[in-house]
Amino acid sequence: RCSSTSAKPNLTDTITINNKTFKRDDYTNITDKIVCLAQKSLHTTPHHPISLVRQRIVNYFYKTFLNSRRNPLFSVYDNLSPIVSLAQNFDSLLIPENHPSRLKSDCYYINREYLLRAHTTAHQAELIRAGLDNFLIVGDVYRRDEIDSKHYPVFHQLDAVRLKTKDQLFSCENDLKLFDCDDTACIPGGPTKQRCHTFEAFKLMEHELKTTLVGLAKELFGNQVRYRWVDTSFPFTQPSWELEVYYNNEWLEILGCGIMMQSLLTNVGVNNRIGWAFGLGLERIAMCLFKIQDIRLFWSNDSGFLNQFKDDDLKSPIIYKPISQHPQCIHDISFWLPEDKTDSLSFCSNDFYDLVRNVAGDLVEQVLLVDQFTHPKSGKKSLCYRIIYRHMERTLTNAEVNEVHQLIECAASDQFGVTIR
Ligand code: FA5
Ligand code: MG
């Protein structure tokens, strides 16, 4: 049955991504499929819907924030390598060692030192250290996740940072201050303002951040958009909020934001400024704006998809017309876990989802865990996943789905030592 080797894990001891070569180690969990995706740059591909949303947001910032010579204040970084160190992605943002976002089950690690960035916030500290006060970062980000119409292992984010000095914040001459004390040690992610900030500095920053983001939501979704603020927490901002917009009868989270942790700024040598920051997801906005139902479409090379966005007027409304929906083809896969892997730590569903993506690519629309069962006598554990196959551009034949499904079975028994039932 196992005639193809394409599903086997790569056993060489190095891995090459975007012409850079890295040593594999016990942390490496990036798959060939993800290495391929890291070479596309959808957010800078002309007329691509992700790129259109980027342009609309960047233009909003260009026109909203001008310097004294009436030039745009914000600079844009959309070409930074997605390969970052753990120090960039986590440490520089005060993310603690034991934080769940560092788990191997959630990130694509290249090795113990490098990973594919899980958010564009990974570059924030280095750009501030380089002396920038107002900037946007746009790029592809990578997270291991479930498989369905709203989740894909790669998506795109846009981050912003704005730092202000005392004189920039309190424009008139007076004795207002940014800081009450030098104590930047706060419980990160708490719901109240940081102790070191004065109330008036904090309130003015919160006001500017929220007005900017509501203005952006209106620019994208129209003046009548319904929105709400939800309290949340991030290790790198305090307080922190999410902005949700009401769309298609549900509240949709479009971004996270907050007042930057002052210790993050002092760590990179900034002692006289207070900052706000946010990070938003471009796919979610594009899916709403253009009524795109399935996130895989962004990666399609089908001209029937891409040609619909070839409009030179950035603001003209585009509603994506689905290319005809082809039928689904559903197959279940059941297997016994090896006896030493019956706990949830040694086998996680994300490992299986990555294997499916690596073997079957975008032929798979969704994978669901439909059954788990532990044998009462032997203690052996069995899992059943349902794999829903559907091609975006044509009808799949039974024969080709059977072949791919068998490859998945072989790869699962090879890589995880499971026994297919
Ligand atoms: C972050 O990634 C923070 N770095 C954002 C941030 C930056 C907060 C700066 C404060 C200051 P979060 O994981 O919530 O947060 O993702 C931010 C946005 O990315 C979400 O609001 C959503 O729009 C988008 N997003 C997150 N996960 C996915 C996903 N799996 N698919 C598509 N979009 C996603
Ligand atoms: Mg969130």
Side-chain angles (χ1 to χ4, degrees):
R1 276 171 89 186
C2 299
S3 53
S4 159
T5 54
S6 66
K8 296 240 170 81
N10 193 331
L11 294 174
T12 56
D13 57 0
T14 60
I15 180 164
T16 302
I17 309 168
N18 295 351
N19 299 323
K20 291 194 203 85
T21 300
F22 299 86
K23 265 210 153 63
R24 291 174 183 270
D25 63 24
D26 59 325
Y27 253 60
T28 311
N29 63 4
I30 176 169
T31 61
D32 295 343
K33 161 94 178 162
I34 299 297
V35 173
C36 284
L37 294 176
Q39 290 160 15
K40 318 240 166 154
S41 179
L42 300 186
H43 60 288
T44 55
T45 302
H47 303 297
H48 193 281
I50 296 297
S51 171
L52 293 180
V53 177
R54 168 189 59 86
Q55 278 176 277
R56 285 194 194 181
I57 298 173
V58 168
N59 287 350
Y60 169 79
F61 273 85
Y62 281 169
K63 74 172 188 220
T64 309
F65 294 94
L66 297 169
N67 67 16
S68 55
R69 278 180 272 140
R70 318 249 356 120
N71 287 324
L73 195 56
F74 277 78
S75 40
V76 180
Y77 293 82
D78 58 12
N79 197 16
L80 301 170
S81 167
I83 300 167
V84 297
S85 63
L86 274 70
Q88 288 171 290
N89 199 79
F90 303 116
D91 304 340
S92 74
L93 293 164
L94 316 173
I95 298 175
E97 285 292 340
N98 59 359
H99 197 270
S101 64
R102 293 189 185 236
L103 284 174
K104 254 180 99 172
S105 59
D106 288 37
C107 299
Y108 286 104
Y109 281 97
I110 299 170
N111 54 35
R112 280 182 172 270
E113 220 179 318
Y114 294 98
L115 74 162
L116 293 177
R117 65 187 163 210
H119 51 179
T120 38
T121 322
H123 302 285
Q124 158 178 124
E126 73 202 56
L127 293 176
I128 296 170
R129 193 193 288 276
L132 296 167
D133 284 341
N134 300 283
F135 57 88
L136 306 176
I137 309 161
V138 196
D140 37 341
V141 301
Y142 299 76
R143 295 188 193 174
R144 301 182 73 198
D145 220 325
E146 54 213 277
I147 300 185
D148 65 26
S149 64
K150 300 241 156 39
H151 291 88
Y152 203 77
V154 192
F155 59 98
H156 294 79
Q157 285 188 332
L158 181 145
D159 261 62
V161 165
R162 172 144 167 83
L163 304 182
K164 293 181 103 169
T165 61
K166 168 180 167 302
D167 290 346
Q168 289 164 343
L169 192 62
F170 310 115
S171 36
C172 50
E173 187 87 14
N174 58 37
D175 51 1
L176 294 172
K177 293 184 297 186
L178 291 183
F179 304 111
D180 255 344
C181 62
D182 294 337
D183 183 8
T184 58
C186 264
I187 308 141
T192 53
K193 80 164 183 67
Q194 295 166 54
R195 204 168 6 181
C196 56
H197 294 150
T198 61
F199 183 73
E200 48 276 18
F202 159 64
K203 270 295 163 194
L204 282 174
M205 289 300 280
E206 176 186 5
H207 177 74
E208 188 185 74
L209 169 63
K210 289 185 170 174
T211 354
T212 302
L213 291 173
V214 169
L216 175 63
K218 290 186 172 170
E219 173 88 8
L220 294 169
F221 297 104
N223 278 328
Q224 3 27 286
V225 67
R226 273 177 75 194
Y227 64 87
R228 67 180 184 192
W229 292 102
V230 179
D231 289 333
T232 187
S233 73
F234 297 104
F236 33 93
T237 51
Q238 182 188 331
S240 308
W241 303 277
E242 281 166 357
L243 177 59
E244 297 189 345
V245 301
Y246 197 69
Y247 194 81
N248 254 350
N249 302 317
E250 58 177 13
W251 288 102
L252 175 78
E253 175 205 321
I254 59 165
L255 61 86
C257 67
I259 305 300
M260 296 174 69
M261 288 302 287
Q262 203 60 37
S263 54
L264 191 163
L265 296 177
T266 50
N267 285 348
V268 288
V270 172
N271 297 307
N272 59 349
R273 285 162 162 76
I274 181 170
W276 55 248
F278 72 82
L280 59 75
L282 295 176
E283 271 77 358
R284 288 207 184 155
I285 293 174
M287 288 176 89
C288 292
L289 280 181
F290 307 133
K291 306 209 168 23
I292 295 171
Q293 305 292 339
D294 191 313
I295 197 164
R296 287 178 301 164
L297 274 165
F298 294 116
W299 300 87
S300 159
N301 291 318
D302 188 88
S303 56
F305 175 71
L306 292 173
N307 281 337
Q308 297 191 30
F309 301 95
K310 293 224 151 83
D311 191 320
D312 287 328
D313 177 7
L314 255 191
K315 293 195 95 172
S316 69
I318 298 170
I319 293 183
Y320 167 68
K321 297 171 228 34
I323 340 172
S324 71
Q325 282 262 343
H326 300 282
Q328 294 179 330
C329 190
I330 300 173
H331 283 253
D332 288 351
I333 174 171
S334 304
F335 46 76
W336 294 106
L337 293 180
E339 262 144 62
D340 57 336
K341 280 200 178 170
T342 47
D343 63 292
S344 58
L345 282 179
S346 48
F347 182 88
C348 69
S349 285
N350 278 352
D351 289 336
F352 182 69
Y353 298 152
D354 264 322
L355 177 142
V356 173
R357 287 194 191 281
N358 204 35
V359 177
D362 290 353
L363 296 188
V364 174
E365 180 171 84
Q366 197 172 2
V367 182
L368 301 163
L369 177 60
V370 287
D371 192 32
Q372 314 193 42
F373 160 78
T374 305
H375 193 281
K377 290 223 178 83
S378 67
K380 281 176 77 178
K381 190 170 173 190
S382 154
L383 300 176
C384 176
Y385 290 94
R386 176 156 302 153
I387 306 184
I388 302 170
Y389 296 90
R390 175 167 21 208
H391 200 287
M392 303 298 313
E393 286 129 25
R394 63 186 173 80
T395 300
L396 291 168
T397 66
N398 270 329
E400 72 184 316
V401 173
N402 285 338
E403 193 182 320
V404 172
H405 196 73
Q406 282 180 7
L407 282 175
I408 291 174
E409 292 181 341
C410 292
S413 59
D414 271 12
Q415 287 181 37
F416 307 134
V418 304
T419 313
I420 305 293
R421 294 180 64 182

